[in-house]
Amino acid sequence: MKESHTGTSSGVLEGRRVEGMVVRRIERELYEVFIGPQHPGSGHMRIIVRLDGDIIVEADPDIGYVHRTMEKLSEVREWLKPIPLLERMTIIDACNVTLPYVNALEKLMDKKPPPRASYLRVLLCEINRVASHLYGFGIFGVFLGHSTMYMWAFGDREVFVELAEILTGARLTHTYHIPGGVRRDMPQDFPQMARRAVRYMRRRLEEYRKIFLENPVIVKRLEGVGVISRNLAADLGIVGPNVRASGIRYDVRLVEPYEVYDELEFEVPVFEEGDALARTWVRVEEIKQSLNIIEQAVDWLERHKGEVIPKEDYERLPKLHKEVYEKTGRVKLLPAHATMKVPAGKAVARGEMGRGEIIYYVESDGGTTPYRVRVVTPSARNAIVFKYVVPGHRLMDLPAIYGSIDYFPPEADR
Amino acid sequence: MNLEEVVELIRGALGDLAKEITVRKGYVEVVVNPGDVVTAATKLKELGFDHVKSVTAVDYPKESRIRVTYHVSSYLRDDLARVIVGLSVDLSRENPVMDSLVGVWRSSEFQEREVYEFFGVVFKGHPDLRPLLLIPELAEKRVLRKDFIVREESIYEGVPHRYQ
């Protein structure tokens, strides 16, 4: 509806001049802007925003452009095959994204990995967490037009991607866990490489602070933008660094420790401000904590020897497989693993990814394929922020909020 | 708070509303009648279960029912933070309709849309019930129900005969 535009700040209202009074008629016409689905930085999604001037009055996240039927496909594949499938949701965080699925299987099968396997899992999880946060920083740099941050973060992420490659054999899609253990032991010279990467990253974070986090331009764009209060965060059910930036101390590694997180020393950084800047700081502090955990894990792994698969699985291996395992630390799976049956039951398992909590519901009817796999990823739960937090901001704040919640469409769409 | 205490806490709060309380692997499942779901959810929220982690549906064609489960937990109450409660209802497969819980837990809004598009469960009172991830034509097929079969395609499927 086009309104007649007679009144302005000159104080003229419908032809009648009002002395001493400044009148401005509210512009009723809203503009609808379709942002996306072209790749806005981190994957295909669309946000339909309605604008009054440049103020967003309504935002509708239209997601699903990269939906890949993960839940349906998991039902028609044998138990092990969803592992390499599900990690495609977030190849940059492939260890964290599939670990709860494996944990749910282990709950159903009453299997427990040996301590060495648990430490190796945690080690890879933390390497992935650093890489995931750095990826998020890089994308954030793109959103804010800060190309240095983009270059630096992606360059430094490569250090951790290579660590993961040395440990697992694959840069991104590691498929490292198998029910009851891991696929491969750590190479002997790995601890030195890991410690070097940790030293390097600690120094780099100091430089990130100077060029990005305390950069006056960046601070102006992030401070007080996209504020999520403590109660709103709980009401929307958002996860990960976003909820911890709003004063809620919630990290699955802390509230329901899985693997060996209860044996490790780390802090869960919490900020009270709830704005985009606080969310960014949480991630920086988390990288520091992950570096501490990486050090502790390699220290432990150096001091303790042991198996990476359960004893009963090892004994079942034929002679040749045993030889390969003893010599190279690689576990070659038997065909029986692919067609294994899982006792009937329902299990829920969860873990803390770089972007937040991931939860799996796995149901078995005792067959060779899952009866139902439900996965809710952190980005799927964070998508609601676009609808309820973005309105009221200027259009230019949208990329800042998008980047600060580290939303990743392929992970949200599953 | 251990699991027995949680079961007692829920039993005390829900009383007769809870038809069945079972300790599963990793969560406590509470089954209620579809008519009682809003009352039960409100009581759980008053206890401190303030957000929904996952809204799941499971199709059981042999028993002609669909079970919808809300996995809820707490951010603001520390002793409940590690507990996950699965509030479940059984709906008929032919006409799956239930009251929306968005009024109780806003965090379930997008996930109810997901259950709607994948299973055809209608949530009465949902503020914006339309498909989230799928295009409407595909959502009509209710693809996560068990009678939607994923067919394996051969590698030459769809390729014109003259190229084969």
Side-chain angles (χ1 to χ4, degrees):
Chain A
M1 251 71 59
K2 186 83 185 159
E3 294 267 336
S4 61
H5 213 74
T6 49
T8 62
S9 56
S10 64
V12 177
L13 178 67
E14 285 161 358
R16 189 170 62 90
R17 189 172 171 79
V18 184
E19 239 2 270
M21 193 174 136
V22 179
V23 181
R24 188 175 154 270
R25 186 182 281 272
I26 294 169
E27 177 60 69
R28 290 263 173 75
E29 188 166 300
L30 298 179
Y31 292 95
E32 204 167 47
V33 181
F34 287 65
I35 301 172
Q38 289 83 2
H39 213 306
S42 67
H44 300 272
M45 68 113 49
R46 179 163 74 176
I47 311 172
I48 303 164
V49 293
R50 305 186 76 205
L51 293 169
D52 181 358
D54 74 338
I55 306 280
I56 299 168
V57 290
E58 208 181 308
D60 179 19
D62 180 14
I63 65 176
Y65 285 90
V66 272
H67 174 60
R68 286 165 293 171
T69 65
M70 297 283 175
E71 293 180 8
K72 187 75 183 177
L73 281 180
S74 301
E75 287 176 15
V76 294
R77 297 276 185 274
E78 286 84 4
W79 284 101
L80 283 187
K81 291 184 182 169
I83 300 175
L85 172 72
L86 291 164
E87 68 188 3
R88 259 96 190 144
M89 289 190 287
T90 323
I91 54 167
I92 49 186
D93 206 355
C95 168
N96 284 305
V97 76
T98 51
L99 183 56
Y101 174 75
V102 176
N103 282 344
L105 284 193
E106 285 167 355
K107 278 183 188 180
L108 288 170
M109 298 163 78
D110 264 332
K111 233 179 189 181
K112 208 175 161 0
R116 191 175 175 82
S118 275
Y119 267 94
L120 284 167
R121 285 177 178 184
V122 165
L123 175 61
L124 184 61
C125 279
E126 296 306 319
I127 291 171
N128 267 201
R129 193 179 319 277
V130 176
S132 166
H133 282 335
L134 289 178
Y135 182 93
F137 274 127
I139 294 299
F140 204 8
V142 175
F143 275 130
L144 298 177
H146 194 300
S147 22
T148 308
M149 190 67 238
Y150 167 59
M151 302 287 183
W152 280 14
F154 269 74
D156 293 340
R157 170 177 166 263
E158 203 61 26
V159 172
F160 290 88
V161 168
E162 282 201 359
L163 269 190
E165 184 183 359
I166 294 161
L167 183 62
T168 68
R171 279 169 54 84
L172 296 169
T173 45
H174 321 297
T175 323
Y176 192 51
H177 332 292
I178 46 177
V182 295
R183 218 166 37 73
R184 199 169 157 161
D185 204 346
M186 170 179 87
Q188 269 197 339
D189 51 352
F190 187 80
Q192 287 76 29
M193 287 187 256
R195 288 192 190 108
R196 190 174 167 206
V198 167
R199 278 199 305 275
Y200 170 76
M201 197 62 225
R202 284 206 180 111
R203 277 206 305 275
R204 287 296 281 172
L205 282 178
E206 194 51 30
E207 288 172 12
Y208 284 17
R209 184 178 62 76
K210 287 184 205 151
I211 204 164
F212 188 71
L213 291 143
E214 287 178 1
N215 181 332
V217 179
I218 299 297
V219 171
K220 272 267 184 270
R221 288 208 57 187
L222 300 185
E223 205 169 20
V225 169
V227 178
I228 304 174
S229 71
R230 191 166 187 265
N231 284 334
L232 182 64
D235 189 26
L236 297 178
I238 56 172
V239 288
N242 307 327
V243 79
R244 291 192 283 278
S246 298
I248 296 177
R249 198 178 153 80
Y250 196 95
D251 185 313
V252 184
R253 295 175 293 170
L254 181 78
V255 298
E256 196 185 345
Y258 51 100
E259 301 301 339
V260 286
Y261 278 112
D262 46 356
E263 294 172 18
L264 296 163
E265 264 180 52
F266 63 100
E267 281 169 30
V268 175
V270 176
F271 282 67
E272 301 289 334
E273 293 86 347
D275 59 357
L277 190 61
R279 289 193 280 274
T280 315
W281 271 108
V282 170
R283 293 193 168 85
V284 175
E285 294 299 321
E286 278 189 18
I287 291 180
K288 291 180 187 164
Q289 296 301 324
S290 294
L291 297 176
N292 291 345
I293 299 178
I294 291 174
E295 277 182 335
Q296 292 175 47
V298 292
D299 284 349
W300 190 95
L301 287 163
E302 251 182 348
R303 277 186 279 109
H304 299 78
K305 296 277 167 265
E307 305 300 325
V308 298
I309 47 170
K311 215 175 191 127
E312 65 270 22
D313 283 9
Y314 175 77
E315 275 157 12
R316 237 185 295 151
L317 293 178
K319 195 163 161 272
L320 181 65
H321 287 57
K322 272 184 187 158
E323 271 170 24
V324 171
Y325 175 66
E326 301 294 346
K327 243 190 236 153
T328 64
R330 276 164 58 218
V331 182
K332 288 192 70 116
L333 291 180
L334 295 173
H337 262 101
T339 53
M340 69 179 185
K341 286 186 178 169
V342 171
K346 304 172 179 183
V348 163
R350 53 179 171 156
E352 187 76 21
M353 288 176 57
R355 298 196 176 85
E357 180 186 24
I358 178 166
I359 179 166
Y360 279 89
Y361 167 85
V362 179
E363 185 169 337
S364 167
D365 60 355
T368 53
T369 59
Y371 189 75
R372 173 89 169 95
V373 176
R374 165 75 170 156
V375 48
V376 184
T377 50
S379 289
R381 283 171 68 188
N382 286 333
I384 198 166
V385 167
F386 292 112
K387 185 164 178 181
Y388 290 108
V389 177
V390 166
H393 287 88
R394 291 183 187 278
L395 186 60
M396 72 159 191
D397 291 333
L398 183 63
I401 297 174
Y402 189 136
S404 77
I405 64 166
D406 202 359
Y407 182 76
F408 190 57
E411 179 192 294
D413 294 353
R414 285 158 280 157
Chain B
M1 193 176 271
N2 62 34
L3 283 176
E4 286 74 38
E5 286 171 343
V6 175
V7 171
E8 279 314 304
L9 183 76
I10 295 165
R11 190 166 280 141
L14 297 185
D16 295 339
L17 290 179
K19 284 203 298 186
E20 186 188 318
I21 300 181
T22 329
V23 177
R24 306 268 185 207
K25 293 190 163 113
Y27 72 110
V28 179
E29 185 162 41
V30 183
V31 185
V32 299
N33 282 323
D36 299 332
V37 69
V38 176
T39 328
T42 313
K43 286 191 171 159
L44 284 179
K45 193 173 185 188
E46 282 164 7
L47 275 186
F49 292 99
D50 49 30
H51 70 284
V52 173
K53 290 195 183 296
S54 150
V55 184
T56 310
V58 188
D59 182 22
Y60 301 99
K62 276 181 202 149
E63 299 155 49
S64 189
R65 68 181 168 103
I66 290 176
R67 172 165 284 192
V68 181
T69 306
Y70 289 73
H71 292 284
V72 300
S73 187
S74 180
Y75 272 151
L76 301 179
R77 219 184 119 169
D78 283 344
D79 55 339
L80 292 180
R82 63 162 299 157
V83 180
I84 298 179
V85 172
L87 179 67
S88 302
V89 290
D90 285 322
L91 307 172
S92 89
R93 207 163 173 272
E94 282 67 45
N95 184 26
V97 181
M98 69 175 284
D99 291 322
S100 166
L101 295 185
V102 174
V104 184
W105 290 303
R106 187 151 42 143
S107 38
S108 68
E109 181 180 329
F110 281 28
Q111 297 199 34
E112 281 186 359
R113 282 171 65 182
E114 248 183 84
V115 173
Y116 164 70
E117 68 189 334
F118 283 112
F119 289 88
V121 175
V122 176
F123 293 92
K124 274 189 298 181
H126 189 287
D128 187 18
L129 196 63
R130 62 198 158 93
L132 180 72
L133 300 176
L134 303 179
I135 51 171
E137 296 92 301
L138 198 58
E140 272 177 0
K141 294 181 182 167
R142 296 164 185 181
V143 288
L144 268 179
R145 287 198 181 193
K146 288 286 173 190
D147 44 18
F148 183 89
I149 306 292
V150 182
R151 201 170 46 84
E152 291 273 342
E153 288 177 3
S154 81
I155 47 172
Y156 292 118
E157 193 161 322
V159 177
H161 193 71
R162 62 180 185 280
Y163 295 120
Q164 290 185 24

